Amino acid sequence: MKHEQKKVCLLLNLGGFEARMGENLELAKNYGETVYSLTGEGLVKVEVGTYLVPASVLDLTPAELLIWGSLINEQLQEEGFEASDAVILAAGKNYRGLLPLGTTIAQGIKLGA
């Protein structure tokens, strides 16, 4: 399936991301010119040889998720990304797919909104 490459691809862990990490990273590089891992500390650029596994959003409490989502949104704005510039690769043990930036990930919390 052909897709338009965006400026950025964000990696979102739905639990078990590590099981197919190599595949997930290769896909992310096809979807975005620059790849960021959504870690507990926020956006971390994925470069050759350095990589941090994304934080599992399923392990975060609603309060932690709210703070984390706000941090990610601030960092995306600081980097100058528009919603149309980015796509999210959400991956876990049983699911892998693309989500547009601005997708509600839980209880009204949107990434890149």
Side-chain angles (χ1 to χ4, degrees):
M1 184 154 98
K2 193 68 182 153
H3 57 273
E4 172 192 346
Q5 189 180 42
K6 301 285 189 171
K7 289 183 183 176
V8 64
C9 180
L10 307 173
L11 298 175
L12 180 67
N13 185 350
L14 298 175
F17 185 93
E18 311 81 7
R20 294 168 57 190
M21 191 156 49
E23 284 178 46
N24 292 336
L25 287 173
E26 284 305 311
L27 279 174
K29 290 174 188 172
N30 291 327
Y31 295 135
E33 295 170 24
T34 305
V35 178
Y36 287 93
S37 182
L38 300 176
T39 71
E41 288 75 44
L43 294 177
V44 175
K45 193 173 186 177
V46 173
E47 297 184 23
V48 178
T50 60
Y51 174 67
L52 293 173
V53 174
S56 175
V57 294
L58 303 179
D59 293 338
L60 300 175
T61 67
E64 289 171 332
L65 193 55
L66 184 61
I67 292 167
W68 181 80
S70 295
L71 173 67
I72 297 296
N73 290 341
E74 285 174 22
Q75 290 179 330
L76 286 170
Q77 289 173 356
E78 286 171 10
E79 293 289 327
F81 294 121
E82 300 290 328
S84 60
D85 294 336
V87 66
I88 300 168
L89 176 62
K93 287 180 190 167
N94 301 317
Y95 175 84
R96 178 169 60 198
L98 292 179
L99 304 171
L101 205 59
T103 297
T104 301
I105 55 172
Q107 301 174 8
I109 299 165
K110 294 182 180 190
L111 282 183

